[in-house]
Amino acid sequence: MERIGLMMKKTLGPGNVSWKWILLAAGMLFAAFPAPAGAGEEEGGGGTCYACHLENAEDADSPASSFADDIHYRRRLGCSGCHGGDSTSDDPDEAMSEEAGFIGAPDREDIPALCGKCHSNLEYMRGFNPSARTDQMEEYFTSVHGKRLVSGDTNVATCADCHDVHKIRPVDEPKSSVYPLNIPSTCGKCHRNETLMSSYGIPSDQVKHYTQSVHGKALLEKHDLSAPTCNDCHGNHGATPPGVESVAYVCGMCHATENELFQSGPKGKIFRDRKMPGCVSCHTHHEISHPTEKMISFDENDTEGLCLKCHSPNDEKPRKTAIAMRALLDTLTATYAAAEAKVLDAEQRGMEVSGAHYMLKDATQKIFQSRTYLHTFNADEMKPHALEGTEISKKVLALGEKAIHDYYYRRRGFAISTLILSLLAVTLYLKIRSLD
Amino acid sequence: MKEKLYHWIDERFQIGNLVRFMQHKRVPMHGKSIFYYFGGIAMFFFTIQVISGILLLLYYKPGEATAYESVQFITSEVEFGWLVRSIHAWSANLMILAAFIHMFTVFFERAFRMPRELTWITGGILLMLGMGFGFSGYLLPWNELAYFATKVGTDIMGAIPLIGPFALKLLRGGEDVTGATLSRFFAVHVAVMPALFTLILSIHLLFVQRQGMSEPDEWKEIKEGDRRYMPFFPHFMLRDVLLWTVALNVLALLAILWPSELGLKADPFASAPAGIRPEWYFLFMFQTLKLIPPHVLFMEGEILGIVGFGVGAAAWVLLPLWIGSKVKSTTTGIIGTLVVLYIVGMTVWGYIAS
């Protein structure tokens, strides 16, 4: 069937719009096959192909050498499933004959349909995983990669470029090329390639920027698997850059409250009406750094301020709002920092301040809430949260100060008690001397 | 007025005999007289333990959900609660230290021999009870360190041959260290042990008072007229009080400058924090058990160690019954020095290793 698809493609030529549908239809036909060739026919998933190719392998990276790590091999799915041929025959000529359906290394443009032969077959995939998804190939053809492949561009990524060829591992295995921690380097194989990317007129610094971003650091340095990686924003099989209007929804998948407040506030409407990208206007996209209060500033000399990127310094109402919100946040964070420092100081002196620590957590929560409500761009809505956080911080500060006061009070008390006890000891000593 | 009161009491309780006994009681005076005071210092710390323990009881609430919180409340909210808790913890350590010094000076002076065999044995029991006090009290704040130290400590007891599994269940109130363990440790710490300790301490004191202080061997060669004594009351008593004042000052210094920490609440599902080790007075045993190889001849190393300590402790407490009154001072000197070196060496090693 692949051959038919290939022949049709060669006949019709690249760039024909109907190609996508032909490839998709071919994939669907493959998907309808009751049991793909090679499936479960060989012990350990290799048969004579594997034995022979392993014996003649030139190095550890040769297909047969690396196939033992492949999930297909582990599921007893052998070479003939993808390459055709007869893996039960000891005779190489017979095993790799056209009569036996041998196709050799598939062409790049045939790979999605080849993989889809099994992976789009729900009935077949259920045998391995009852909740397996089977829409990857369909999704792939909606992606930029898939569309370009259909148009005849074989430089774009296909299944094997991301999932590997003969060393395919499930996504939840840390060694897998598509395990979250490995996604940036997997995407970077192409997207960091300046020559390749420049031919498409797109930058090649996204991975570098992502690595330096708050998300990249969380994932790659702290190994926080909840941090987004490339495919969380761009999709995986359906990889496409989010359009201007959908950026906020992409970010909102995780930052739901911020997105909701932003969309329902005055800024959301303006951005939507003008078809401006929401979140990335202030936070950028790949290079998202840890947001700080300094981003809210109408001061032209403030290099970290962002408001003037869109506003004029004379925009009176936004300026007042920005100044009010910044003042609320500055007061809150400064009071919090002072309280935290005082509590730590008291703790280092050996004072019991667990209650203050507990309250600090409440104050931290209020800082998060205030920063979240910043996205309303309405100082009145943010104010109650910021004021509450400031009040809690003040109470913590007072507790810290009391602990420090108690620390010195104890020392003074000790000095007095020592003096009294020493006087008593001297008196006793004198009394003993007088008795002796 | 004073005389009237004295007669009023004497008519009812005949305290005259006691006063005359006190007036005539004498304490030998020689170069090592300072060691006579350590028993009194240990008793002084025990008294502080009783008082501070009762004060802690006013606020402490045993139970998995309340123990840690109540200690936290005592430490942070109750007026001078931090001081009482800190004094209780430091005083416990100082009491054990004073008892150890008292025991070894008695040993080196060979004062355990006839007629003081039972005084020595009751003293040995008191030291063990004191260590039991420490072990049971350590768990009561229900913090992370206490939880895992108790787990390790009871695990060791569980390895005792024959009775180990039963002892483990009895101590823990089940298979694991849980709220049930906390409840029984609390009951033992505040009811069983104080009662036992007070009873045996009274017997120990009665023996001491009845037999008087032991005189050094060298005195046998000194004429009776050349021997120096001081009256127990008020001379010795005042010296006791003077040393108690100094001890109280040391206790205040430790309790104020290094108050007891509480740490994190015990979490049975958390992994054990690094550097878990028992209180210093158990450390020499803990370190020894760590050093014994897994198998020694036909026995498991841990079992060998536990059996060894059991036999050693029994032999030490029952020392006067088997060593004989004619034991030479060189023999006791060598034994005592080896035991002290072993305990101090292993304790220091234990601290360095952890």
Side-chain angles (χ1 to χ4, degrees):
Chain A
M1 187 57 75
E2 295 101 314
R3 287 174 174 229
I4 296 166
L6 191 65
M7 277 165 60
M8 285 176 76
K9 183 192 157 195
K10 279 173 185 164
T11 314
L12 290 168
N16 192 323
V17 183
S18 63
W19 249 109
K20 170 185 157 189
W21 302 110
I22 293 167
L23 279 172
L24 189 58
M28 294 297 181
L29 274 171
F30 277 126
F33 280 10
E41 67 184 22
E42 294 130 356
E43 290 240 344
T48 55
C49 318
Y50 180 68
C52 198
H53 279 267
L54 188 66
E55 200 178 309
N56 295 305
E58 286 172 9
D59 54 46
D61 289 330
S62 67
S65 303
S66 53
F67 193 52
D69 288 333
D70 195 291
I71 183 65
H72 299 99
Y73 179 86
R74 286 186 257 160
R75 295 283 184 273
R76 297 187 173 191
L77 300 171
C79 315
S80 60
C82 296
H83 297 287
D86 181 2
S87 60
T88 57
S89 172
D90 289 334
D91 179 359
D93 293 330
E94 194 183 306
M96 293 187 281
S97 66
E98 250 183 69
E99 291 75 36
F102 182 69
I103 60 163
D107 291 330
R108 285 181 65 77
E109 59 266 37
D110 295 333
I111 288 175
L114 184 67
C115 298
K117 193 172 63 170
C118 298
H119 284 275
S120 298
N121 185 340
L122 182 59
E123 209 171 320
Y124 177 67
M125 291 304 291
R126 263 191 208 139
F128 299 97
N129 177 1
S131 57
R133 51 181 294 200
T134 50
D135 59 350
Q136 299 98 323
M137 187 178 73
E138 200 177 340
E139 250 194 28
Y140 174 76
F141 285 116
T142 67
S143 74
V144 170
H145 297 139
K147 282 176 185 167
R148 291 199 75 92
L149 184 77
V150 169
S151 69
D153 180 357
T154 53
N155 281 329
V156 294
T158 67
C159 317
D161 294 298
C162 299
H163 292 279
D164 214 313
V165 186
H166 295 104
K167 214 161 34 182
I168 301 167
R169 290 188 167 96
V171 66
D172 55 357
E173 281 187 17
K175 279 187 175 177
S176 165
S177 56
V178 288
Y179 185 69
L181 291 180
N182 304 327
I183 292 266
S185 62
T186 298
C187 297
K189 281 197 295 188
C190 298
H191 284 274
R192 254 198 311 235
N193 184 333
E194 205 174 327
T195 319
L196 182 62
M197 289 300 113
S198 62
S199 66
Y200 295 104
I202 57 175
S204 56
D205 56 2
Q206 300 99 323
V207 176
K208 184 181 144 200
H209 285 160
Y210 171 79
T211 309
Q212 293 161 350
S213 74
V214 66
H215 295 142
K217 283 179 180 163
L219 182 76
L220 302 171
E221 291 176 15
K222 297 178 188 166
H223 292 186
D224 177 356
L225 297 183
S226 67
T229 180
C230 314
N231 64 314
D232 290 302
C233 298
H234 294 284
N236 35 19
H237 301 104
T240 305
V244 162
E245 287 170 21
S246 61
V247 166
Y249 298 108
V250 171
C251 302
M253 286 191 303
C254 297
H255 302 278
T257 315
E258 284 88 344
N259 179 45
E260 194 187 320
L261 293 172
F262 176 79
Q263 296 296 345
S264 59
K267 282 273 188 291
K269 187 174 181 331
I270 295 167
F271 273 60
R272 281 196 303 277
D273 290 348
R274 297 189 184 182
K275 299 206 180 304
M276 288 165 67
C279 316
V280 298
S281 299
C282 295
H283 296 284
T284 73
H285 36 79
H286 297 109
E287 204 175 1
I288 300 166
S289 57
H290 190 75
T292 69
E293 283 69 56
K294 289 177 183 171
M295 289 162 72
I296 317 156
S297 174
F298 260 71
D299 186 345
E300 284 168 285
N301 300 319
D302 196 339
T303 51
E304 291 180 58
L306 295 174
C307 302
L308 293 178
K309 270 174 74 179
C310 300
H311 289 284
S312 136
N314 303 321
D315 286 350
E316 195 53 28
K317 199 181 163 196
R319 194 174 70 85
K320 278 186 175 169
T321 304
I323 289 172
M325 289 198 300
R326 173 72 184 268
L328 284 167
L329 280 173
D330 279 350
T331 309
L332 170 57
T333 50
T335 319
Y336 177 87
E340 189 184 34
K342 193 63 82 181
V343 169
L344 285 177
D345 184 15
E347 193 171 36
Q348 279 166 1
R349 290 168 193 265
M351 304 301 289
E352 162 56 42
V353 281
S354 53
H357 268 301
Y358 193 75
M359 285 175 75
L360 266 179
K361 284 183 186 168
D362 285 346
T364 311
Q365 191 60 30
K366 289 295 159 192
I367 292 176
F368 287 143
Q369 277 182 4
S370 304
R371 284 176 177 161
T372 303
Y373 272 85
L374 172 81
H375 295 87
T376 60
F377 292 93
N378 182 341
D380 290 337
E381 285 201 47
M382 195 184 84
K383 199 173 179 178
H385 304 284
L387 289 181
E388 201 180 336
T390 307
E391 274 312 302
I392 296 170
S393 300
K394 280 180 182 169
K395 283 179 188 164
V396 177
L397 183 65
L399 284 175
E401 280 168 350
K402 185 182 176 298
I404 302 275
H405 172 266
D406 283 354
Y407 171 80
Y408 287 109
Y409 174 73
R410 290 176 188 187
R411 267 147 185 74
R412 282 195 297 275
F414 172 62
I416 294 166
S417 74
T418 300
L419 186 70
I420 295 167
L421 287 171
S422 302
L423 280 173
L424 182 62
V426 170
T427 314
L428 282 166
Y429 177 73
L430 293 173
K431 177 72 180 167
I432 291 164
R433 286 287 299 270
S434 73
L435 284 172
D436 289 345
Chain B
M1 178 69 189
K2 224 164 77 179
E3 277 183 16
K4 270 189 176 176
L5 182 66
Y6 176 80
H7 285 300
W8 190 90
I9 298 171
D10 191 37
E11 271 174 4
R12 284 155 185 81
F13 302 105
Q14 290 79 45
I15 60 167
N17 288 340
L18 185 64
V19 172
R20 275 188 293 281
F21 171 75
M22 294 273 277
Q23 278 169 344
H24 293 111
K25 183 176 161 60
R26 298 181 308 169
V27 178
M29 286 176 77
H30 50 85
K32 297 171 206 161
S33 296
I34 182 73
F35 294 124
Y36 289 140
Y37 298 98
F38 280 93
I41 291 174
M43 199 179 71
F44 171 69
F45 284 126
F46 175 68
T47 314
I48 288 183
Q49 285 304 90
V50 173
I51 297 166
S52 56
I54 289 169
L55 289 174
L56 287 174
L57 262 180
L58 299 179
Y59 290 97
Y60 179 75
K61 294 174 187 166
E64 228 171 326
T66 51
Y68 178 86
E69 285 73 9
S70 65
V71 176
Q72 198 172 39
F73 182 76
I74 289 168
T75 318
S76 58
E77 303 292 330
V78 177
E79 204 71 31
F80 292 106
W82 64 273
L83 184 63
V84 176
R85 177 170 175 246
S86 203
I87 280 178
H88 194 72
W90 274 112
S91 177
N93 284 294
L94 293 174
M95 180 179 86
I96 301 282
L97 180 67
F100 263 110
I101 296 172
H102 177 51
M103 179 182 75
F104 278 108
T105 51
V106 168
F107 179 81
F108 281 112
E109 283 302 300
R110 297 188 300 153
F112 54 81
R113 291 174 302 168
M114 203 190 105
R116 296 186 176 77
E117 299 98 322
L118 291 177
T119 321
W120 169 269
I121 291 170
T122 49
I125 295 169
L126 282 175
L127 179 66
M128 285 183 184
L129 280 175
M131 290 165 84
F133 256 127
F135 185 66
S136 56
Y138 197 62
L139 180 68
L140 301 190
W142 198 245
N143 58 18
E144 203 179 34
L145 273 177
Y147 176 83
F148 285 103
T150 306
K151 206 171 164 61
V152 174
T154 45
D155 269 339
I156 291 171
M157 292 200 190
I160 299 172
L162 300 175
I163 59 158
F166 172 74
L168 182 84
K169 268 194 173 181
L170 184 74
L171 277 169
R172 290 184 174 176
E175 295 293 339
D176 293 310
V177 176
T178 60
T181 321
L182 181 64
S183 296
R184 60 186 55 203
F185 270 45
F186 174 69
V188 166
H189 188 77
V190 304
V192 181
M193 285 207 164
L196 269 177
F197 197 92
T198 310
L199 176 72
I200 296 170
L201 178 64
S202 306
I203 297 169
H204 187 73
L205 288 174
L206 185 73
F207 290 162
V208 173
Q209 294 307 318
R210 190 75 191 136
Q211 295 171 327
M213 302 291 196
S214 159
E215 293 173 1
D217 275 355
E218 307 88 82
W219 274 31
K220 283 176 187 159
E221 289 151 25
I222 302 174
K223 285 182 203 164
E224 195 143 339
D226 294 340
R227 295 176 188 173
R228 289 177 62 223
Y229 294 93
M230 73 170 111
F232 179 81
F233 190 84
H235 294 66
F236 187 80
M237 196 68 219
L238 279 175
R239 282 173 170 79
D240 251 347
V241 176
L242 173 61
L243 280 175
W244 294 350
T245 314
V246 174
L248 187 63
N249 219 349
V250 171
L251 177 63
L253 174 87
L254 294 169
I256 291 167
L257 297 189
W258 293 280
S260 297
E261 289 179 0
L262 183 56
L264 297 171
K265 184 174 178 174
D267 178 3
F269 299 108
S271 52
I276 281 283
R277 61 167 185 236
E279 288 278 54
W280 63 268
Y281 39 86
F282 291 116
L283 200 53
F284 72 96
M285 292 187 266
F286 185 67
Q287 184 61 20
T288 310
L289 290 176
K290 269 168 59 178
L291 294 174
I292 297 177
H295 292 284
V296 180
L297 298 174
F298 58 92
M299 279 185 89
E300 271 187 44
E302 194 184 22
I303 293 175
L304 178 73
I306 292 164
V307 171
F309 281 122
V311 172
W316 187 257
V317 173
L318 302 174
L319 184 79
L321 304 184
W322 59 268
I323 206 165
S325 278
K326 288 177 184 166
V327 62
K328 288 181 183 171
S329 60
T330 338
T331 313
T332 50
I334 291 169
I335 294 174
T337 309
L338 287 175
V339 172
V340 170
L341 282 176
Y342 165 70
I343 291 176
V344 173
M346 280 294 173
T347 306
V348 172
W349 193 349
Y351 268 98
I352 293 167
S354 59

